[in-house]
Amino acid sequence: MIIRNPKPWHNERSQITSKRLYLKRRHFLKSLIGVGIGATAFSLTGCTQSESEQALKASLKRPKISPLSTNPNFSNLERPITDEKLAGSYNNFYEFGGNKSIWLKAQDLPTEDWKVEVTGLVKNPKTYDLDEIKKQFPIEERIYRFRCVEAWSMVLPWVGFPMKALIKAVEPTSKAKFVRFTSFYDEKIMPGPTFHFGELPWPYTESLRLDEMANELAFFAIGIYGEELPKQHGAPLRAVLPWKYGFKGAKSIAKVEFLAEQPATYWNTLMPNEYGLIANVNPEVPHPRWSQATENFISEGPDLSWEIKETQLYNGYGEYVANLYS
Ligand SMILES: Nc1nc2c(c(=O)[nH]1)N[C@H]1C(S)=C(S)[C@@H](COP(=O)(O)O)O[C@H]1N2
Ligand SMILES: [Mo]
């Protein structure tokens, strides 16, 4: 069993001694190399490695969210929480590029005066800003397992509120059966992946059935590691659906719409032969090009950079969601 400070990010940064920082930095570089991203994580920046590290740290330094308490039902410590710098430099955000090293490019995302329009088949449509969201909804921390369809996985401490709280506020009508999340898009600052030359179905959209959105687990994150979301993680508001593959969790959401019919989504339009709307984590349903039976858990252990683990049905959250799919 690993005994460790469960919330290192709750420490004041100023209290961290230089020795610890030094060890952490060594460890961080080691973990980057371990997962095979050492060469690429910093290669796009055109700066020295230490300049890049400073820039990465700056990108991760966000206003603290307080007061904050961890929901005891989601304090998941059977696996170590993934290192903050590792999680913040190994991302998928295709608007900013097709590899994992988009953190620097993502700093172009304009998050000032963000508005989220909640609209469609609801009694109380409303456009929220971030302050209203923080005031109106019950903000808490939840530590969730995170599983990308590419088979890497992490454990991440999100800060946010359950989607069901938004449902309660806007009151979908009886006609509403689906919800669609639309990410912010501006082609002037979002070059997209270089490996794809055809038309891409921007903006990024994702969708859930309304009963999935109303499930206890479905979460809107406004923060991670006790602070507001860094841009690379999808500031200022993104979806987190821990029983589904990571692509379902749209980043930098600008619009939430309640709909009668199932909408097209970004990935279902682009890759109709991959996973459909549901896309639950399931070891028995392989991707067309790889098995999902195991996952590569990106931990922060000093000896192992990732561990191969057996994939769990619903990513281990069956007690919450299995009844949605009987
Ligand atoms: N708008 C948008 N949202 C997105 C993506 C994206 O490319 N664009 N990638 C998805 C995928 S594939 C994953 S695995 C997660 C990654 O979240 P993270 O970088 O915060 O770990 O974001 C999801 N949300
Ligand atoms: Mo993903």
Side-chain angles (χ1 to χ4, degrees):
M1 194 189 147
I2 304 163
I3 298 169
R4 52 196 292 285
N5 177 356
K7 293 179 192 169
W9 61 95
H10 285 183
N11 294 339
E12 285 296 330
R13 280 182 167 74
S14 57
Q15 288 169 7
I16 299 172
T17 65
S18 55
K19 170 111 191 293
R20 274 191 57 202
L21 254 181
Y22 170 77
L23 291 172
K24 267 191 108 169
R25 183 173 308 136
R26 294 259 328 200
H27 166 72
F28 164 57
L29 292 173
K30 203 170 156 191
S31 24
L32 285 179
I33 291 157
V35 296
I37 57 176
T40 56
F42 296 130
S43 64
L44 305 173
T45 64
C47 333
T48 67
Q49 195 153 314
S50 75
E51 282 168 343
S52 299
E53 269 187 76
Q54 288 306 320
L56 175 59
K57 263 205 240 161
S59 78
L60 298 175
K61 197 170 164 62
R62 307 282 297 149
K64 245 199 183 94
I65 299 176
S66 64
L68 189 60
S69 57
T70 309
N71 183 324
N73 296 331
F74 308 110
S75 55
N76 175 21
L77 293 173
E78 101 276 2
R79 294 181 183 186
I81 288 158
T82 304
D83 182 85
E84 179 181 6
K85 294 198 210 77
L86 187 48
S89 57
Y90 190 80
N91 303 96
N92 277 331
F93 204 160
Y94 284 94
E95 289 88 331
F96 291 105
N99 60 45
K100 296 286 172 287
S101 307
I102 53 73
W103 63 268
L104 186 62
K105 190 75 191 102
Q107 303 316 307
D108 294 346
L109 182 77
T111 52
E112 290 287 299
D113 301 319
W114 194 271
K115 301 270 191 299
V116 185
E117 185 189 358
V118 185
T119 176
L121 302 170
V122 292
K123 294 195 187 112
N124 315 312
K126 185 172 159 73
T127 297
Y128 293 86
D129 64 28
L130 202 58
D131 281 343
E132 286 169 314
I133 287 174
K134 282 190 210 150
K135 254 184 244 144
Q136 188 169 340
F137 298 113
I139 304 297
E140 62 180 24
E141 180 174 67
R142 293 188 179 192
I143 300 167
Y144 275 162
R145 290 185 287 279
F146 184 90
R147 172 66 153 77
C148 174
V149 74
E150 298 158 345
W152 53 270
S153 67
M154 297 184 176
V155 168
L156 299 173
W158 301 104
V159 179
F161 60 100
M163 290 190 181
K164 65 181 184 188
L166 180 72
I167 295 180
K168 203 171 154 206
V170 299
E171 296 186 71
T173 68
S174 60
K175 292 204 180 75
K177 298 285 182 269
F178 295 88
V179 64
R180 170 167 59 193
F181 307 110
T182 303
S183 297
F184 173 86
Y185 184 66
D186 180 351
E187 62 180 359
K188 291 191 288 297
I189 53 165
M190 294 171 152
T194 51
F195 57 69
H196 198 288
F197 300 103
E199 275 287 299
L200 290 170
W202 303 120
Y204 194 97
T205 52
E206 258 307 333
S207 175
L208 298 173
R209 297 189 327 220
L210 202 56
D211 62 335
E212 296 181 304
M213 185 190 189
N215 186 269
E216 172 65 25
L217 288 183
F219 201 62
F220 282 118
I222 59 164
I224 191 168
Y225 299 99
E227 298 176 355
E228 288 180 11
L229 280 178
K231 295 183 177 185
Q232 55 268 46
H233 281 300
L237 176 89
R238 57 94 52 89
V240 179
L241 305 155
W243 73 102
K244 294 180 178 287
Y245 290 120
F247 69 83
K248 297 294 295 179
K251 292 182 166 182
S252 305
I253 295 172
K255 200 196 254 189
V256 178
E257 285 163 284
F258 291 83
L259 306 168
E261 306 291 334
Q262 181 182 328
T265 65
Y266 181 84
W267 289 114
N268 291 168
T269 305
L270 201 56
M271 312 278 191
N273 65 331
E274 294 189 5
Y275 296 99
L277 177 84
I278 298 298
N280 290 332
V281 175
N282 187 339
E284 283 168 12
V285 181
H287 184 273
R289 296 195 303 279
W290 58 84
S291 162
Q292 297 287 15
T294 61
E295 64 190 54
N296 305 323
F297 176 62
I298 299 177
S299 70
E300 59 159 340
D303 303 319
L304 268 184
S305 294
W306 77 85
E307 279 169 66
I308 296 177
K309 292 187 178 277
E310 280 182 17
T311 301
Q312 301 176 72
L313 181 61
Y314 306 120
N315 205 19
Y317 292 104
E319 69 174 294
Y320 292 96
V321 295
N323 63 327
L324 292 172
Y325 308 106
S326 49

